[in-house]
């Protein structure tokens, strides 16, 4: 630890200590949330010597965001998380304006963290190729807790000449002895793309491919990920600048996936992308492979730049945003599916079956499961805390996630998706987090909500259906 690092450490610990008990009313039980301050992207997800590690973009001093650090949590089941500290701080000339997003690789008992060292310089850094350094940096840990030896690997001059200075968010992995890395980028013609690099040692990198859509799709692709699931190669990106199109792309920024061929080209004929989540709060997802071979995804359950539309009420309590529940990925019928990690089944301690309908309360953390809606005639309607409605009916064939009040502002009223047949549904609620998994995880909707009181009122109306409630 250098002197600057020690100073940050002291200031952050002090801030966390001072505000230790603040904001319990909307604090989730099993979702990762910051102790105080602002959280955004999940970073450095991995399993190291059996333990799960999750880092996140963290601004400890301001719940509305600011200078970015990496906070660090560990877990044995991805549901009970322990905050280990804030190991990556902006303490170098090449990362002094933010330790931006990145990833982890386990190699020879070491945990390597790759991230973007952000440096803002004079100039219009958001538009042209000046005014921002996008440095690729690596730090190493020998025990998964202490990080040291930051190395500057790439600087602006190492990226293709026709890009703006928006190049960031290295996602690194190893396959058959070779290292690979993707980074998100914005061209000078304002088109988003992904750079694919390869390396023999994880230090010297060569850009081998530039992944683009046949037609421009937004001006910047943030937080890319590239991985294999059930024999498919998946590209996941978080594009900015995509226009809303009916029910699609209704949030400020989007997160989408598409499949690639063996030469990393987008295989779908029109380059079409599929939104990972149809709700209000989902961005910048990252995946990792568990030691037992599962591909797990965690997203930021939040959204940047929403201030003109709505406010997340936890700012009243000095903190903002959470990460999603970890999701297991699979491909079914050619569709990438996301389902809650299987560990969640063992988390619940109470279970109660129901038929047709239910009205009551299950506390603050619970699950509503409707596993077989196939034979169901007309509709499903779930109301949470009286103001959040989840509905589907066979006439309209649209699933809706809808706020019945306008308390949260005009940007947060309704999200929907055409779903011709609803076969099953799981709704997971954790204090202020709602995640809905439909049709075996083919469609997912996530949102934050801010129920008042000690319990969350629930009504379920699903004529003809049998289900179970767990808490
Ligand atoms: C995505 C993002 C990343 C960047 C990070 C900074 O939300 O903008 O591109 O690395 O957040 O916090």
């Amino acid at each position: 630890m250098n002197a600057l690092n020690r100073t940050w450490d002291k200031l952050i610990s002090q801030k966390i200590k001072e505000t230790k008990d603040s904001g319990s009313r909307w604090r989730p039980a099993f979702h990762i949330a910051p102790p105080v301050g602002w959280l955004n992207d999940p970073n450095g997800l991995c399993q190291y010597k059996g333990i799960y590690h999750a880092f996140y973009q963290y601004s400890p001093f301001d719940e509305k965001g600011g200078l970015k650090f990496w906070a660090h949590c560990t877990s044995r089941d991805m549901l009970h998380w322990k905050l280990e500290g804030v190991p990556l701080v902006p303490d170098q000339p090449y990362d002094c304006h933010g330790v931006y997003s990145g990833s982890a690789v386990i190699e020879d008992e070491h945990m390597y963290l790759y991230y973007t060292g952000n440096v803002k310089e004079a100039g219009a850094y958001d538009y042209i190729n000046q005014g921002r350094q996008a440095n690729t940096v690596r730090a190493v840990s020998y025990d998964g807790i202490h990080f040291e030896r930051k190395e500057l690997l790439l600087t602006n001059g190492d990226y293709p000449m026709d890009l703006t200075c928006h190049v960031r968010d290295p996602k690194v992995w190893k396959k058959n002895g070779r290292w690979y890395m993707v980074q998100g980028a914005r061209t000078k013609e304002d088109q988003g793309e992904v750079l694919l690099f390869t390396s023999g040692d994880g230090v010297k990198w060569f850009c081998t491919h530039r992944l683009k859509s046949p037609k421009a799709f937004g001006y910047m692709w943030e937080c890319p990920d590239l991985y294999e699931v059930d024999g498919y190669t998946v590209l996941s990106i978080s594009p900015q600048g995509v226009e809303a199109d009916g029910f699609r792309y209704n949030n400020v920024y989007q997160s989408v996936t598409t499949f690639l061929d063996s030469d990393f080209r987008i295989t779908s004929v029109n380059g079409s992308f599929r939104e990972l989540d149809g709700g209000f709060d989902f961005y910048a997802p990252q995946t990792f492979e568990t030691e037992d071979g599962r591909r797990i995804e965690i997203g930021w359950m939040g959204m940047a730049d929403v201030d003109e539309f709505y406010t997340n009420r936890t700012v009243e309590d000095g903190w903002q945003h959470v990460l999603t529940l970890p999701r297991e990925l699979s491909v079914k019928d050619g569709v990438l599916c996301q389902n809650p990690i299987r560990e969640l089944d063992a988390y619940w301690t109470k279970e109660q079956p129901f038929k047709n309908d239910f009205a009551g309360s299950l506390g603050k953390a619970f699950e509503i499961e409707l596993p077989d809606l196939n034979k169901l005639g007309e509709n499903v309607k779930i109301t949470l805390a009286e103001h959040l409605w989840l509905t589907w009916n066979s006439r309209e064939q649209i699933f809706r996630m809808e706020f019945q009040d306008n308390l949260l502002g005009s940007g947060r009223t309704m999200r929907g998706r055409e779903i011709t047949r609803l076969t099953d549904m799981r709704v997971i609620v954790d204090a202020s987090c709602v995640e809905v998994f439909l049709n075996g995880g083919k469609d997912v909707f996530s949102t934050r909500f801010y129920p008042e009181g000690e319990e969350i009122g629930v009504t379920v109306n699903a004529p003809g259906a049998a289900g179970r409630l767990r808490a």
Side-chain angles (χ1 to χ4, degrees):
M1 254 196 193
N2 61 33
L4 189 53
N5 201 306
R6 263 198 299 276
T7 308
W8 279 127
D9 201 53
K10 222 167 113 192
L11 286 171
I12 296 167
S13 320
Q14 216 171 323
K15 176 88 182 162
I16 293 176
K17 216 155 78 208
E18 273 167 22
T19 44
K20 204 158 176 259
D21 296 319
S22 82
S24 57
R25 55 185 166 160
W26 292 309
R27 193 164 276 288
F30 52 87
H31 286 73
I32 292 177
V36 62
W38 159 282
L39 163 156
N40 59 297
D41 315 348
N43 293 155
L45 306 179
C46 61
Q47 190 176 10
Y48 175 70
K49 300 183 179 169
I51 307 286
Y52 296 105
H53 292 255
F55 301 77
Y56 55 82
Q57 285 285 284
Y58 187 36
S59 293
F61 304 107
D62 189 342
E63 64 279 359
K64 295 203 166 154
L67 186 61
K68 297 288 160 39
F69 299 66
W70 278 32
H72 180 202
C73 301
T74 56
S75 174
R76 289 187 175 276
D77 61 1
M78 293 187 268
L79 295 168
H80 300 85
W81 292 95
K82 174 174 174 243
L83 181 68
E84 296 288 354
V86 182
L88 294 188
V89 306
D91 60 357
Q92 300 294 327
Y94 50 75
D95 66 11
C96 57
H97 297 143
V99 181
Y100 272 17
S101 282
S103 55
V105 175
I106 310 302
E107 164 77 357
D108 286 342
E109 309 264 302
H110 298 162
M111 187 194 291
Y112 292 102
L113 300 182
Y114 289 81
Y115 67 89
T116 299
N118 184 50
V119 181
K120 293 178 180 173
E121 293 175 335
Y125 60 80
D126 271 330
Y127 297 100
I128 48 176
N129 198 8
Q130 60 167 28
R132 184 194 281 263
Q133 289 176 31
N135 299 309
T136 304
V137 185
R138 166 167 117 157
V140 62
S141 174
Y142 303 99
D143 60 2
I145 296 295
H146 304 95
F147 292 84
E148 52 189 88
R149 237 184 56 206
K150 285 182 179 177
E151 283 171 273
L152 176 61
L153 305 182
L154 299 171
T155 63
N156 288 19
D158 298 313
Y159 313 125
M161 291 290 288
D162 58 338
L163 297 179
T164 65
C165 48
H166 288 277
V167 175
R168 59 178 166 269
D169 309 334
K171 175 73 197 314
V172 182
W173 69 99
K174 278 201 79 180
K175 192 183 170 187
N176 301 332
R178 274 206 83 72
W179 297 71
Y180 297 89
M181 166 168 74
V182 280
Q183 298 226 32
R186 174 177 181 168
T187 67
K188 284 183 180 152
E189 290 179 340
D190 260 351
Q191 206 168 323
E193 66 173 51
V194 163
L195 305 177
L196 173 62
F197 298 80
T198 181
S199 168
D201 59 4
V203 175
K204 275 181 80 116
W205 291 93
F206 306 93
C207 182
T208 57
H209 294 72
R210 297 176 67 172
L211 284 53
K212 311 171 203 253
S213 49
K215 275 202 310 208
F217 188 67
Y219 58 79
M220 170 69 190
W221 291 359
E222 294 191 310
C223 299
D225 199 350
L226 200 163
Y227 51 87
E228 279 164 33
V229 182
D230 292 338
Y232 288 81
T233 305
V234 180
L235 174 69
S236 162
I237 51 170
S238 292
Q240 298 182 306
V242 176
E243 293 292 315
D245 171 16
F247 285 129
R248 302 168 79 198
Y249 314 138
N250 283 190
N251 290 331
V252 179
Y253 305 123
Q254 325 302 329
S255 289
V256 303
T257 56
T258 189
F259 295 127
L260 300 178
D261 68 13
S262 56
D263 201 32
F264 303 109
R265 279 183 303 244
I266 294 173
T267 52
S268 60
V269 184
N270 56 3
S272 66
F273 294 96
R274 198 158 188 276
E275 265 179 295
L276 273 161
D277 197 294
F280 298 90
D281 294 305
F282 187 87
Y283 195 64
Q286 184 176 100
T287 72
F288 73 104
E289 193 180 0
T290 58
E291 288 168 0
D292 63 7
R294 290 179 286 164
R295 177 61 54 176
I296 305 291
E297 173 196 74
I298 300 181
W300 171 25
M301 201 161 164
M303 186 59 60
D305 304 329
V306 295
D307 289 1
E308 61 178 294
F309 305 112
Y310 56 84
T311 307
N312 293 305
R313 292 194 53 199
T314 57
V315 296
E316 297 164 23
D317 296 344
W319 65 280
Q320 190 170 196
H321 297 312
V322 303
L323 298 184
T324 66
L325 183 64
R327 301 169 179 182
E328 284 183 27
L329 300 183
S330 59
V331 176
K332 267 180 242 131
D333 310 322
V335 178
L336 185 71
C337 300
Q338 307 161 78
N339 282 293
I341 43 163
R342 59 196 68 169
E343 284 82 350
L344 188 64
D345 287 330
Y347 183 84
W348 306 123
T349 54
K350 286 176 267 172
E351 180 174 329
Q352 137 186 18
F354 73 95
K355 265 206 166 126
N356 304 322
D357 44 39
F358 170 83
S361 173
L362 301 153
K364 280 193 166 186
F366 53 89
E367 170 168 351
I368 305 162
E369 192 182 3
L370 289 158
D372 186 8
L373 292 167
N374 265 324
K375 292 173 233 74
L376 190 64
E378 271 310 296
N379 60 59
V380 182
K381 177 170 167 187
I382 295 178
T383 308
L384 297 170
E386 279 153 38
H387 70 294
L388 177 59
W389 290 13
L390 309 170
T391 55
W392 182 84
N393 69 58
S394 61
R395 186 176 32 83
E396 211 188 26
Q397 300 187 327
I398 293 169
F399 177 81
R400 291 168 189 271
M401 169 179 264
E402 206 166 350
F403 284 95
Q404 289 304 304
D405 51 31
N406 214 11
L407 280 179
L408 292 168
S410 60
R412 200 182 270 268
T413 46
M414 202 273 279
R415 292 288 180 269
R417 197 175 270 185
E418 282 169 38
I419 291 180
T420 47
R421 223 175 105 227
L422 189 63
T423 59
D424 56 85
M425 179 167 177
R426 286 178 76 178
V427 181
I428 289 149
V429 179
D430 184 10
S432 55
C433 312
V434 180
E435 284 159 288
V436 184
F437 298 84
L438 304 170
N439 290 352
K442 284 182 183 160
D443 288 289
V444 184
F445 283 72
S446 302
T447 192
R448 299 295 302 291
F449 78 142
Y450 304 97
E452 301 286 352
E454 276 314 297
E455 305 242 293
I456 297 172
V458 182
T459 66
V460 183
N461 203 278
R468 80 179 153 159
L469 307 164
R470 291 191 282 179

